[in-house]
Amino acid sequence: MSSNDTIRLLLIHDTPSEAQRLVSMLHNAGRPNRAQHVASEAALTKLLQDSSWDLLIAADSSKQVPPAVALRTISKLQKDVPVLLLTEREGSQAVVEGLKLGARDVVTVDEDQHLLLVIQREINALRNRRQARMHDRRYHSSLARAQELLDSSKDAIAYISDGLIVYANQSFAERFGHKDKDDIEYQPLIDMVTEGEQEDARAFLKQCAIDNNDVEAQEWKFTACSASGRPVPVRAEVLSTVYDEEPCLQVRIAAKAGNTEELEAQLSDIKSRDPLTGLYNRQHFLRVLEAAIKSAASTQRTGGLMYIEVDRFEETVQKTVGVAGADALQKKMAELLQSSVRRGDVVARYGEESFCLMMVETTPDSAEHRAKELMQKIADTIFDAAGKTLQVTVSIGVSLLSEASGRAQKVLDQALQAHDQALKASGEGSGFALYEPDTDQGGDADTYHRARVVQALEAGNLKLLYQPVLSLQGTGEQMYEVLVRMMDGKEELSPLAFLEGLGDDSLAVKMDRWVILTAIKAAAEKRAKGKDVSLLLHISAASLKDSGLPAWLKVAFKAAKVAPKSVSFQVSQGDINSNLHAARDFTKLVRELGCRVAVSRFGAGLNPFKTLEHVTVDMAKVDPSFVKEVQDEGENSETLVNMVQQLAEANTRVIVPHVEQASMLPTLWQSGTDYIQGYYVQAPAEHMDFDFSLD
């Protein structure tokens, strides 16, 4: 938005003359605006629903519409409208309170030049966010179209990452005698090559990955082994590309003649429908929802999404009428929902006991009214299934669609969260909730995060992942960095991110010890089988200050029958600088045990090499920003190379993380880098089974 564009402005102030002064000030400063004075919460809600706004300026002392109410209303409607507060109070307290509420900034009354600069900053930021959302929609729309082309292509196409088939279309599966592409996805491609050609195939694919040729495809002739064991001669093209934001290889085999467009059209229609109910299936519905979000952004309309789930489905339906009866109920439920739609609505089956209803235009009140009507209609309906009659209830979560909604999956996740909230509030079901973004940044969130970690520790909902750290100098060392993940439904989260943010030292120490003990036991099993593995383990600032840890480590190593020399501990440079005495004592004691010590995120700060004067380390892992500058932003590698060489002069081995492209290897090898780590080598995996041999 340029300085000549008209600002669409909402003003909240109990004194209309002061609101008018702001309008005049903006005009006099050359900032044309269309301003609207807001005198009530209802008026604000209507204005936000009816039009698009660029900015809201409010007096922090307003009584007609308190700033907290205004910010909550904007959040509830999921509108992207930056809020600035004006205050007559001196000091920083007013600023702190305003920022905690969610305002973008707080400016003292009559400091007009300051206000103009803040307005310009927020307008520029708003423009950037809108452009980012537009580009994101276009990008994912292009991805969706590309995915549809891949899925429906007559050519056999597969994407290979680290030797695994991460995607294959149906044509590729059928080409090798498989009924479904799921039969081969995430299987090693090399297993589909006849045994006598596997070594040549492995070498060819490895060279293709190293060459990283994304312009001209290389021809690959090989003999495949079909699902029935029959040899199949294949002529394919291999090209370096990116799939699902990860570098990989595309293998394409030209289509055979004989496929018909009519068959393709039939298959496409079948794929978009749920076979039981005839409603749209989840995959197709997500595409429809994506289009609706795009439309909401361009028309400034507010739509809505209902997530509808039968309460206690297994208990009230499946155990009562069995699987066949449950299917019959789902069919009738689908008919009832379909009979309740309005113009533009779309209904889909989401899961075994759940449905989605998308409304192209609604308001929070209207969505709530419709949802409760629908809940009552379902509760009043008597369903016939398997010779029995049933009455069921549903709970509904609603998320709104607006210009700030983002991706379809995000909106769906919000509706699911609202549904969970409805269940908790109602207890027995038949509940309703409208999703509202969580604006509480205080202690409740901290308590919640801590409770999640404690529960995960007690319930065993934690797992370790291992990412190889590969020696570029051919030492043959088999080192893995150990990462911990907390299982939360289908998500894998880092509990350390919670703990370090909370500053909970006791829980962080407990987590560190669990990780250390679990990891060294896993390493002991590998070493007993002849695998000379070593571990790189993260130590939190809390454990750095735990004077009892070195003695505990000595006992743990002995119990697990692991040699201390096979374990390295890494501490971030920031933690070392903040706890210099504790870091010096810890590194001294663990090195006396025989362990190695690494400093991570090396290079951050004004004088990173000052750290090495106080704390003796064996390895340094450079900060990922140095790699990003070279790898992603195309900057000169001189800074990175100089740092690697300075560390070598200090007799410190260097680990370069986040390596994702083969193009980085010549620079790193020539600079004397000792180790590399990243998705180019291998993503974190659940087992220590990486092949460290270098051809």
Side-chain angles (χ1 to χ4, degrees):
M1 180 179 291
S2 72
S3 59
N4 294 323
D5 291 336
T6 300
I7 300 174
R8 291 163 293 184
L9 177 65
L10 293 173
L11 291 169
I12 296 177
H13 206 294
D14 291 345
T15 308
S17 59
E18 180 58 21
Q20 182 57 50
R21 190 195 73 80
L22 288 171
V23 172
S24 301
M25 183 272 293
L26 286 171
H27 277 297
N28 293 336
R31 296 310 311 259
N33 59 84
R34 281 175 31 213
Q36 178 70 49
H37 183 247
V38 183
S40 68
E41 181 183 351
L44 176 62
T45 300
K46 182 169 176 35
L47 286 165
L48 289 170
Q49 289 175 341
D50 292 347
S51 304
S52 175
W53 300 93
D54 303 318
L55 189 66
L56 186 151
I57 301 178
D60 67 348
S61 59
S62 175
K63 297 291 191 294
Q64 292 177 330
V65 186
V69 172
L71 285 157
R72 178 178 172 80
T73 302
I74 291 170
S75 177
K76 182 178 180 179
L77 294 174
Q78 298 187 51
K79 296 293 184 179
D80 187 0
V81 182
V83 175
L84 302 179
L85 298 183
L86 300 177
T87 185
E88 294 182 349
R89 293 181 288 166
E90 296 181 356
S92 62
Q93 187 59 34
V95 178
V96 171
E97 291 174 1
L99 294 178
K100 280 186 175 180
L101 284 176
R104 299 281 181 172
D105 210 338
V106 180
V107 180
T108 304
V109 170
D110 293 333
E111 291 189 359
D112 293 344
Q113 291 303 311
H114 183 191
L115 180 60
L116 286 170
L117 290 171
V118 171
I119 288 172
Q120 183 60 51
R121 182 194 68 201
E122 292 305 321
I123 292 297
N124 289 341
L126 178 65
R127 175 196 61 203
N128 292 336
R129 291 196 299 275
R130 287 173 175 170
Q131 288 180 345
R133 287 194 291 265
M134 179 186 68
H135 292 318
D136 187 66
R137 287 190 292 270
R138 288 177 177 175
Y139 171 69
H140 286 98
S141 178
S142 298
L143 285 183
R145 288 194 297 270
Q147 188 66 53
E148 289 173 1
L149 290 172
L150 285 171
D151 290 341
S152 62
S153 175
K154 297 175 184 178
D155 289 347
I157 300 173
Y159 287 91
I160 316 301
S161 177
D162 293 327
L164 296 181
I165 302 172
V166 294
Y167 166 83
N169 64 4
Q170 190 64 27
S171 298
F172 193 93
E174 292 171 356
R175 186 65 178 265
F176 298 101
H178 296 273
K179 292 183 179 180
D180 195 290
K181 63 181 184 178
D182 291 339
D183 295 339
I184 59 173
E185 284 189 347
Y186 293 97
Q187 300 300 314
L189 175 65
I190 210 73
D191 287 355
M192 300 178 68
V193 179
T194 55
E195 188 172 350
E197 298 182 21
Q198 286 187 357
E199 285 302 316
D200 290 340
R202 186 179 286 109
F204 172 82
L205 293 173
K206 187 172 184 178
Q207 190 59 47
C208 287
I210 292 173
D211 291 343
N212 196 28
N213 191 337
D214 58 358
V215 177
E216 184 177 350
Q218 298 187 55
E219 187 179 75
W220 180 28
K221 293 181 180 179
F222 65 99
T223 305
C225 185
S226 70
S228 62
R230 179 175 57 86
V232 180
V234 175
R235 181 178 179 179
E237 291 181 346
V238 181
L239 192 71
S240 295
T241 184
V242 173
Y243 181 78
D244 201 19
E245 301 182 357
E246 295 293 340
C248 61
L249 297 175
Q250 182 197 72
V251 177
R252 186 179 72 86
I253 306 169
K256 294 180 178 179
N259 292 333
T260 65
E261 292 184 4
E262 183 179 355
L263 178 60
E264 293 284 343
Q266 291 174 353
L267 288 172
S268 177
D269 184 62
I270 291 171
K271 287 179 180 178
S272 68
R273 297 283 177 180
D274 171 56
L276 177 65
T277 63
L279 299 177
Y280 286 133
N281 59 27
R282 178 179 178 178
Q283 291 76 19
H284 183 77
F285 179 72
L286 283 172
R287 292 194 288 269
V288 173
L289 183 58
E290 199 77 62
I293 293 171
K294 184 177 180 181
S295 175
S298 59
T299 61
Q300 301 301 326
R301 292 185 305 185
T302 299
L305 171 66
M306 288 189 197
Y307 175 80
I308 307 160
E309 185 173 291
V310 178
D311 295 322
R312 304 181 305 283
F313 182 78
E314 183 177 352
E315 176 187 339
T316 60
V317 180
Q318 286 185 335
K319 289 184 179 179
T320 304
V321 296
V323 175
D327 287 348
L329 181 135
Q330 293 290 45
K331 288 181 182 179
K332 292 171 183 176
M333 181 74 74
E335 293 171 3
L336 186 151
L337 292 174
Q338 195 68 54
S339 68
S340 304
V341 301
R342 299 177 183 176
R343 184 177 179 180
D345 289 353
V346 178
V347 181
R349 189 181 185 193
Y350 180 82
E352 185 177 4
E353 65 266 28
S354 59
F355 300 85
C356 286
L357 190 155
M358 186 193 74
M359 303 163 284
V360 293
E361 189 165 6
T362 190
T363 65
D365 291 341
S366 176
E368 180 175 357
H369 180 71
R370 283 195 65 186
K372 290 183 176 178
E373 271 191 346
L374 190 57
M375 289 161 57
Q376 190 62 51
K377 184 176 181 180
I378 293 170
D380 292 341
T381 300
I382 298 175
F383 295 93
D384 294 316
K388 297 181 180 180
T389 57
L390 290 174
Q391 283 187 284
V392 299
T393 60
V394 298
S395 292
I396 298 178
V398 174
S399 177
L400 299 180
L401 316 180
S402 69
E403 78 275 8
S405 289
R407 299 291 314 285
Q409 190 60 54
K410 177 183 174 184
V411 174
L412 190 52
D413 290 343
Q414 291 172 350
L416 287 165
Q417 289 179 44
H419 172 265
D420 290 344
Q421 181 184 343
L423 280 180
K424 290 177 183 177
S426 62
E428 293 299 317
S430 196
F432 165 83
L434 174 70
Y435 173 80
E436 295 185 33
D438 183 11
T439 57
D440 183 9
Q441 303 295 324
D444 289 345
D446 290 349
T447 302
Y448 169 66
H449 290 321
R450 188 186 191 283
R452 291 172 75 186
V453 177
V454 171
Q455 184 181 21
L457 271 168
E458 293 175 349
N461 294 331
L462 296 169
K463 73 174 183 179
L464 297 185
L465 299 179
Y466 304 92
Q467 187 172 37
V469 181
L470 182 64
S471 171
L472 272 188
Q473 307 305 322
T475 63
E477 184 175 3
Q478 301 180 28
M479 187 192 303
Y480 293 90
E481 178 171 8
V482 181
L483 307 168
V484 60
R485 292 292 181 264
M486 181 172 69
M487 307 306 296
D488 187 5
K490 293 183 179 180
E491 287 188 291
E492 293 184 5
L493 307 173
S494 170
L496 291 174
F498 290 157
L499 297 182
E500 291 176 354
L502 295 176
D504 191 326
D505 284 1
S506 62
L507 192 52
V509 168
K510 187 176 181 180
M511 176 67 71
D512 280 351
R513 293 195 179 196
W514 181 88
V515 172
I516 292 168
L517 196 57
T518 306
I520 62 175
K521 286 180 179 178
E525 291 178 7
K526 285 292 182 181
R527 295 177 72 86
K529 296 177 182 178
K531 295 285 187 181
D532 192 21
V533 300
S534 62
L535 302 176
L536 182 61
L537 291 156
H538 174 79
I539 290 293
S540 67
S543 289
L544 199 63
K545 295 179 287 186
D546 179 12
S547 59
L549 181 59
W552 179 87
L553 287 172
K554 187 175 182 179
V555 175
F557 289 148
K558 186 175 181 180
K561 297 180 180 179
V562 168
K565 66 179 182 180
S566 65
V567 177
S568 302
F569 293 105
Q570 64 172 344
V571 187
S572 75
Q573 181 161 0
D575 286 344
I576 291 176
N577 291 339
S578 300
N579 306 277
L580 201 54
H581 292 295
R584 186 168 53 201
D585 294 342
F586 172 80
T587 55
K588 180 177 181 293
L589 290 171
V590 296
R591 292 181 85 242
E592 287 176 354
L593 286 176
C595 302
R596 290 180 295 178
V597 176
V599 54
S600 62
R601 304 198 71 88
F602 186 82
L606 295 177
N607 190 1
F609 284 90
K610 196 74 174 175
T611 303
L612 304 185
E613 296 178 8
H614 300 284
V615 177
T616 303
V617 301
D618 303 280
M619 296 177 287
K621 182 189 289 186
V622 301
D623 190 80
S625 61
F626 293 96
V627 185
K628 182 179 178 181
E629 289 173 357
V630 180
Q631 185 171 251
D632 301 335
E633 300 171 8
E635 293 190 13
N636 191 290
S637 61
E638 183 178 355
T639 303
L640 176 60
V641 170
N642 287 341
M643 178 170 290
V644 171
Q645 292 173 346
Q646 282 183 268
L647 285 166
E649 292 171 2
N651 200 28
T652 304
R653 293 190 174 186
V654 181
I655 304 172
V656 175
H658 291 235
V659 176
E660 298 180 356
Q661 299 173 10
S663 58
M664 286 289 294
L665 297 186
T667 298
L668 297 177
W669 186 79
Q670 291 171 12
S671 70
T673 297
D674 297 282
Y675 305 93
I676 61 171
Q677 179 185 10
Y679 278 67
Y680 173 75
V681 179
Q682 181 179 283
E686 294 187 29
H687 304 287
M688 291 182 277
D689 53 10
F690 179 73
D691 183 3
F692 282 89
S693 62
L694 289 174
D695 294 340

